Amino acid sequence: MARKFTTPRGTVDILPEEQPYWRQVLRVAEQTALAFGYRRIDTPVFEQADLFVHGTGEATDIVQREMYIFQDRSGEMLALRPEGTPNVCRAYLQHGMASRPQPVKLYYVAPAFRYERPQAGRLRQHTQFGCEAIGSSDPALDAEAIELLWRMYEALGLDDLYVLLNSIGDQSCRPAYVARLRVYYELHLAEVCDDCRRRYDQNPLRLLDCKNGQCQPVIAGAPAITDALCEPCAAHFASVQAYLDAAGVAWQLTPRLVRGLDYYTRTVFEIVPGDAGSQGTIGSGGRYDGLMEVLGGPPTPGIGFATGIERIILNLRKRVVEVGPDPLLRVVVAAVGEGPRVAAVALVSRLRRAGVQAVVGDGTRSLKAQLRQAEGLAPQYVVIVGDEELRRGRLQVRERATWNEERLTEGELLARLSD
Ligand SMILES: [Zn+2]
Ligand SMILES: [Zn+2]
C-alpha cells in the first residue's frame, strides 16, 4: 500500500474555513502598520545560518536547540528564519538604509521556523507580524511601537490586554546591576530551581523571568533593575512612560521582564491577555541598540516587536470575536449537454468579468445532481441553462432563499445581481 502523507509534526494546514480569520488579522495588521508610517519589507525564508547564530545569539535556546539548519548543495550553511529581527537588520545594512531619512520603519509578515517541543502546543512553523524602527533612540519610537501593537489588537476586538513594561538599562549601568543581582542570588542559591542555578552562572538577568513557583519569592526580593538605571537610561524610560500615557496606552511596570542578551537595551515589553499571565504573551518586543554592531554594522539603535498570527487568532476565537465571512458565492450555473454547457461556461465567464462570483455545475453529473451540489455551495441564485432556455434566450433563475423561479434574460439577471 502506498505511504500516507501528513503535515510534518508541529505544522498545520490552514483550511479555507479558517482563512477569514487570517484575512482579517493580516488586513488589520497591515493597515495599522501603514497608519504608523511603517513600510513593508520581505526577506528570504532562509539566510546564512551565522546571521542568526550572531544576531539571535549563540547562547539562546533558539540557536542551540530550535533552529532548522542545513547545508545546501554547495556546502553553505543556511537556516530557516527562526525570528524576524536579524534578517531585517541585515537588509538595513546590505541596502545602505542608513543613508535614508532615519528612522527607517519596516514591517513584515512572514513564517518563522523553530524546532519546538510539540508537547508545549507550539508550532514548528508559525507566522509572525513584526515591526522594526531602526536608526533612532528616540523614546517616542518605543512608545509608538507599543501603541501600534496595542491599537492593532484593539482594532481586532482584543481589548482586555495589558502592556507589561520594563527597562533593562544599557552597557553603562547593567553590568553593575548584574553584579548586585549575583551577590543577592548567591545567598539564595539553595532556594531556587536547577535552571536558575545554571542561569546564575551563564545568564544572571534571566533569573528574573523564571516561571518556577519556588523561585518567585526570591525574584520578589531581588533588587529591581529600574532602581539601578544610569541617568540617561532613567530619563529615556521616563519619557517612554510619559509618551505611552499621552497616547492613552495603559501599562504596568514589570521589573521581572528581561531579555538575556547583551545587545538588548532599555525598553522591553510584552502584551498579555487579562486572563492569562505571562505564559499567554501574544506579542513582545524591545530595544536592541547593540544588535547592528553584532552584525558587523556601525552602532545603530533600533526597536521592534513581533506577534504570532496563530496566537492572535486563538485569542480571537476564545473571545468569540466575529470576522467577516468569505465573499458570498452569487451564482451556480447548472447545465447538461454540450450546447448548454458551452453557453453556461460563456455565461459564467461574463458574470465573473462583471465582478460576480460564479461557478458552473459539475458537468459529469445529471441536472438533478448539479442542483443538489448547488444547494451545498449555497449561492444566492441557481441558473439553469438547457436547450429550451437557449432557444428562447431566457435563463431559468431560482433565488435560493425563496426558491422563487423566474425566466430572465442575461441582462435582467445582471441587473438583479447588481441590486
Ligand atoms: Zn528558577
Ligand atoms: Zn544606562
Side-chain angles (χ1 to χ4, degrees), residues 273-305:
D275 56 7
S278 65
Q279 303 282 13
T281 300
I282 59 174
S284 64
R287 196 160 261 295
Y288 46 81
D289 292 351
L291 177 54
M292 284 295 186
E293 288 161 272
V294 172
L295 299 181
T300 311
I303 170 121
F305 67 75

Side-chain angles (χ1 to χ4, degrees), residues 176-186 200 204-208 222-223:
Y177 170 76
V178 169
R180 270 179 66 200
L181 189 65
R182 266 218 161 96
V183 168
Y184 167 81
Y185 262 85
E186 203 176 339
Y200 172 80
L205 210 53
R206 292 293 306 275
L207 287 162
L208 295 171

Side-chain angles (χ1 to χ4, degrees), residues 28 48 97 111-112 132 139 141 166 169 184 199 247 273 285 287 315 366 368 370 377:
V28 169
Q48 292 160 348
M97 292 191 204
E132 317 288 353
L141 276 179
N166 197 20
Y184 167 81
R199 289 178 188 124
R287 196 160 261 295
N315 277 277
S366 69
K368 204 170 154 192
Q370 287 183 42
L377 295 170

